[in-house]
Amino acid sequence: MNQPTHLLNKWVQENNELVKKCKQQEGGGDALSRDQNQTHLRSCSSEFHKLLRKIQGVPPLVNHTHLELSVVYNACVCSTAQSQFTEAELLLIQAIQRALQMTGDEPVASNRPVFWRTVLKSVGNTTFNTCVRYLLCLQWAIWLATCQLTIIQELKEELSSLFETLCDGVGDNKKNEARGKSSDIPLLVTDPRRLVELLQICTSITQGAERLSEGQSSEALSALQTASSLPAPRALSAYVHFLLGSCLAHMSRPQMALQCYRKALVTDACCVSALYQSMLIYRQLGNTQAEIQALRLLQSTLMLPSATVPALATTHLLSPSLLLCSQSLSSLLSVPSALSVLHSLALKCVLHGRVSEGVEHYLDLLAALHSEDQHGVHAEVPPLPRLPELYLEAGAALLMARRPADCMALCNEVISTTLELLPEKVVLEDPEETSEAETSDMSVDGEDRVGMLLWTGAAYLLQGHCHTHLKDWKQAVTHYTRCINLLVRVRFKKKGFQPQIPSGDVVVKQGTHLCILQRLKGLSLAGRGISFTQTDQLKEALRDLLLSLQAFPECVGAGLWCGEVLWRLGRRQEAAACWEKTWSFTTQHHSAEGLPVYLQEPQSGPLLDSMELRHRIQELGPN
C-alpha cells in the first residue's frame, strides 16, 4: 500500500523540479537567445514525456489521475509551444480517454465538439474535473493556433463557461495558493487562468479579423467592442483598437477610425500597421499635410531594426504570436516595405510643393537601391516602379528644384542603358482586336522594350526641359526632336486592318502605353514649339504647337503659346479664341496626380502672364 504513495510523491517531486527548470526560460528573458530558448524547451518537453511514460506504465489509479493529467498538461504546453500541435492534441486526447476508463463512460466520438461535450458531462462530478478543464484550455490553444475557428465557434458556449469558471477562480484560488506552498501538489508550467484570458482575447482578435476580411464589418465591430473590455496586455489591447479602427474605416467613419488607430500606437505590436492605415485615411480625406507627416513617421519607423515584427511580450510559454497566426489578421497588418514608403513620401512631397524635401528622399531611395543592403526590394507589394522610372521621377524633381545638370545626368543614365535595346518599330493595336493566340505571342520582353522606348523618350523630353530652363534653345530643340523621332516609331493598327509587320517590330496592346505616348508627343512638340518662338521661327513654332494640341488638347503651355504665335502673326481673333479655350481647360482642373511626375508640364522656362493676355483680349474688343 505504501509503494503507490511513494511513487506518487516521487513523481510529484520530479514534476515540480521540471516545472521550476522550465520556468527558468521565462525568467531568463533576454539572457537566453531564441535558439537557446528552443533548446531549453525541447529538453523540458523530453523530460516531461519521460516522466509521463513512467506514470502511464502502471494501471490507472484514481490517486494518480490528478498527477498524470497535470504532467500531460505540462508536456502538451511544451509541445504546443514548439508548434507540435498534432502530437500535443493526440497526447491530451489519449490521456483523457485513459482517465475516463475509471468512469465507465469513455467517449468514442471522433467529432471533436461532440467528444468534448461528452467529456465535460462525464467528469462533471469527478475529482479530476478541473484537470480536464485545463486540458480543454490547451485544446482551445491548439485550435486557435491552427485557425480551426469553426470548432471554436461550435463550442462557444462551453469555452465561454470555461473562461468564466477559471477567471472567477471557483475552487481554484486556494489550490493555486497551495501549489505555491505544498511540495506534494503537482505544479503547472503555465497558469491556466492566465492562459484562458490570453485565449479569450486572442480568439476575439482572430475572429474579428476573419469577419472583417469577409466584409462583416458591423458584426466584427460589435465583437471587438466587447473584447476591448477584456483583461489583456497592452500589446493585445492595441490589436483590438487597430481592428476596431479597421472596422470603422470600412464603415466610412474615418475620424472615429483615426481615434482607434491612435490608441493602437501606444505599443510596438501594431504601431507600423496603425500608422499605415492612418496615412491611407488622411489620403482619403485629402489631408495632404497629415498624410506626408504619417509617411515620414512610417518610413522612419520601418527603418528601425525588426520594425515589422510585432513585439508581443509575454509571461506565457504559449505566446500571443503563436496564437495570432490568422492569414486574415496578417493581411490586415501588412504594410509596404521601407523603400516603397520612401518612394511614396518622395513623390507626395514633389507633387505638393515640398520639392527640396522630395529630392532628398528620391536621392536616398536611389542610394538604397544601389547599396548592397537591398532587403525587401524584390518583394515589394505593391511593387516599386522600375529603376529607369525612378531615375526619371528623380530627374523631374531635380529640375523642379532648379538643378538641371543633375537632372540631365540621371537622364543620361536612362538613355545609356536603354538606347541600344529599343525596337525599330512598335505597333499598338486595340485590345478588342487581339485574339487569345496573339495575346500569348506578346511576350513580356516585347512589353519591356516598348517601356524602354517610352522611358528613353521621356529622358530626352526632360533634357529638353533642362535646356529650356537654361535658355539654350538650340539644344532644347535638338533633344525635343530626339524624343519626337523615337515616338514616330510607334504605329497604330487600325480596326479590321492587317498590316505587314516586319520581323523586327514589336506588337503590343495599347493599354496605358497610348496615354503615355500621347502625353509625351504633346509635351515634346509643345517644348520644341515654344523653343522656336524664342528664336522667332514662328512658322515652325505654330506647326509644332498645333500638333501638340492635337495629341494633348489640355496642354496649357501649348495652348497659351499657340495663341501668342497667332497674335504675333496678326491672327488676333484666333489667338483670343485659343487663349479662352486653354483657360477653360484649366478651370476644369484636369488633375495629373495619376500620371508619372516626369510627364507633367514643366514649371520652368518661358512663361506667359495670363493677366496680360486677358488685357490684350479686352483691348481687342468684340468681333
Side-chain angles (χ1 to χ4, degrees), residues 258-389:
L258 286 172
Q259 292 177 12
C260 291
Y261 288 141
R262 290 189 190 103
K263 293 178 181 178
L265 293 173
V266 297
T267 71
D268 293 337
C270 49
C271 173
V272 173
S273 302
L275 271 174
Y276 177 61
Q277 294 299 326
S278 297
M279 182 274 294
L280 293 179
I281 289 180
Y282 290 133
R283 178 178 297 172
Q284 177 189 348
L285 295 174
N287 189 339
T288 302
Q289 302 308 315
E291 181 187 349
I292 290 175
Q293 181 64 19
L295 279 168
R296 280 203 207 100
L297 288 172
L298 181 59
Q299 196 272 332
S300 60
T301 305
L302 285 170
M303 294 301 292
L304 298 174
S306 303
T308 57
V309 179
L312 292 174
T314 180
T315 57
H316 298 278
L317 287 173
L318 303 182
S319 67
S321 57
L322 180 74
L323 304 173
L324 295 174
C325 55
S326 157
Q327 185 59 46
S328 296
L329 180 60
S330 298
S331 297
L332 289 168
L333 291 170
S334 64
V335 296
S337 73
L339 292 184
S340 183
V341 172
L342 182 58
H343 173 250
S344 296
L345 177 58
L347 184 58
K348 185 63 66 171
C349 286
V350 169
L351 291 174
H352 293 277
R354 302 187 180 194
V355 177
S356 297
E357 182 183 347
V359 165
E360 294 308 313
H361 292 316
Y362 268 118
L363 296 179
D364 288 344
L365 175 61
L366 294 179
L369 289 171
H370 282 293
S371 70
E372 294 181 357
D373 184 16
Q374 297 186 23
H375 299 302
V377 173
H378 300 293
E380 299 289 340
V381 180
L384 279 169
R386 302 280 289 276
L387 195 57
E389 291 181 86

Side-chain angles (χ1 to χ4, degrees), residues 22 106 133 155 258-260 276 310 330 341 343-344 417 419 428 452 498 507 510 515 540 604 609:
C22 193
E106 181 180 354
R133 290 183 179 277
L155 283 172
L258 286 172
Q259 292 177 12
C260 291
Y276 177 61
S330 298
V341 172
H343 173 250
S344 296
T417 56
L419 193 57
L428 290 183
M452 289 178 186
Q498 299 292 335
V507 182
Q510 290 180 9
C515 177
E540 292 82 357
S604 58
D609 184 355

Side-chain angles (χ1 to χ4, degrees), residues 9 22 39 140 151 154 181 224 235 271 364 515 563 576 591 610 616:
N9 292 335
C22 193
T39 301
W140 184 357
I151 297 180
E154 196 169 340
K181 297 177 181 179
L224 289 165
C271 173
D364 288 344
C515 177
S591 174
S610 290
R616 285 196 218 171

